[in-house]
Amino acid sequence: MIDDAPDGPVSFGFEEVARGDKATRVRGVFDRVARRYDLMNDVLSLGVHRVWKDFVIARANPQPGERLLDVAGGTGDLARRWVARGGRAAARRGGPPPDAVVCDINEQMLRAGRGGRGDGITWTAGDAERLPFKDKIADAVTIGFGIRNVTDRAAALAEMRRVLKPGGRFLCLEFSRLTTATFEPLYDAWSFKAIPRLGGLLAKDEASYRYLAESIRRFPDQEAFAAEVRAAGFKNVTVANYSGGVAALHMGWRI
């Protein structure tokens, strides 16, 4: 993929752009869709992203007193699930409730997230490639539908490992590749025809939704991304496919 060239162009959907321009263009997309972010995910996943996120937090298994760092956390969907599930565990077993930090480079997304319920959640502006946190501050790190939008995945993965405590777990939920070719024609029609049109109708922004659909196809398949996670130093890396590979959870540990 062109993204592997350290000084070369990178993908912005199906377009190739200068490496220094991608973050600005991605920020522009999310500035435009921030107020409709949950709607965007509903459109991209037919609403199933809510179930996938429940699965992610069940795998994360928050314990009393633990801290989550949710990178590219957007409106805080994963963070809220972490606090709620871990709070129930703390109520049953005793101990302090868990907390969460949502970190996102986009201020518009953070504003949209703060507008909802956010007890136990701290909101921080920061770049996934240069996280504004000390080493070893989190028991778990999540990133949901965000890793494909960073310019330098290797740098972001290294940063997420850096801020994990030894024994901490990393969980990345991202749109991925179908595990069977049977449904590919239907999936292509949904991705490249229906999604942009719905984005135009529902959010008045066909171009942003076209980028989001294209960015999914430019992202590595499950095994290729698992290799990137291992190369970043995570151990015991596993992959779980959701909805036939429409999305995948990559999980690893800092040992």
Side-chain angles (χ1 to χ4, degrees):
M1 296 179 63
I2 61 171
D3 306 63
D4 293 335
D7 298 315
V10 294
S11 64
F12 179 79
F14 288 162
E15 184 181 355
E16 296 183 16
V17 300
R19 180 168 292 270
D21 292 343
K22 179 171 180 175
T24 299
R25 296 187 65 170
V26 169
R27 187 178 297 115
V29 168
F30 285 93
D31 280 346
R32 293 191 294 273
V33 304
R35 291 186 298 109
R36 298 179 179 87
Y37 182 70
D38 292 329
L39 171 65
M40 178 191 75
N41 281 334
D42 283 334
V43 169
L44 289 172
S45 72
L46 295 176
V48 184
H49 73 100
R50 301 172 189 274
V51 178
W52 298 337
K53 289 170 181 173
D54 288 340
F55 290 162
V56 171
I57 297 305
R59 289 289 301 275
N61 192 25
Q63 300 299 306
E66 287 192 325
R67 170 164 292 170
L68 170 72
L69 173 58
D70 186 19
V71 178
T75 56
D77 275 3
L78 289 172
R80 288 189 175 89
R81 284 168 167 79
W82 168 275
V83 169
R85 186 181 181 95
R88 291 192 294 271
R92 289 194 307 269
R93 296 163 42 198
D99 66 359
V101 178
V102 173
C103 181
D104 199 288
I105 197 171
N106 190 286
E107 290 282 358
Q108 297 293 334
M109 294 294 292
L110 293 172
R111 289 193 190 103
R114 289 191 192 101
R117 290 176 52 239
D119 295 342
I121 301 175
T122 302
W123 306 83
T124 302
D127 186 342
E129 298 173 33
R130 293 174 291 277
L131 291 172
F133 306 105
K134 296 179 180 179
D135 296 352
K136 303 176 184 177
I137 55 93
D139 299 284
V141 171
T142 54
I143 180 166
F145 306 120
I147 192 69
R148 77 182 189 279
N149 294 311
V150 304
T151 302
D152 187 337
R153 287 192 301 273
L157 289 168
E159 280 290 274
M160 287 185 273
R161 184 181 182 278
R162 177 183 66 79
V163 298
L164 270 175
K165 298 175 182 177
R169 55 266 194 212
F170 163 77
L171 301 100
C172 177
L173 175 66
E174 188 54 86
F175 290 108
S176 197
R177 303 294 175 84
L178 297 183
T179 55
T180 175
T182 304
F183 299 108
E184 284 184 357
L186 180 62
Y187 187 50
D188 285 346
W190 173 253
S191 298
F192 300 123
K193 295 181 180 179
I195 284 177
R197 289 175 183 171
L198 286 170
L201 288 170
L202 300 175
K204 311 302 180 187
D205 189 357
E206 184 172 330
S208 290
Y209 282 76
R210 182 178 297 108
Y211 157 72
L212 292 164
E214 291 175 356
S215 69
I216 293 168
R217 300 309 172 86
R218 295 304 303 264
F219 191 70
D221 65 25
Q222 288 89 326
E223 289 307 313
F225 184 59
E228 293 185 15
V229 176
R230 294 187 189 99
F234 291 103
K235 306 299 182 184
N236 302 326
V237 175
T238 59
V239 182
N241 287 306
Y242 296 152
S243 302
V246 174
L249 171 65
H250 287 74
M251 184 172 180
W253 299 77
R254 176 172 182 173
I255 304 299

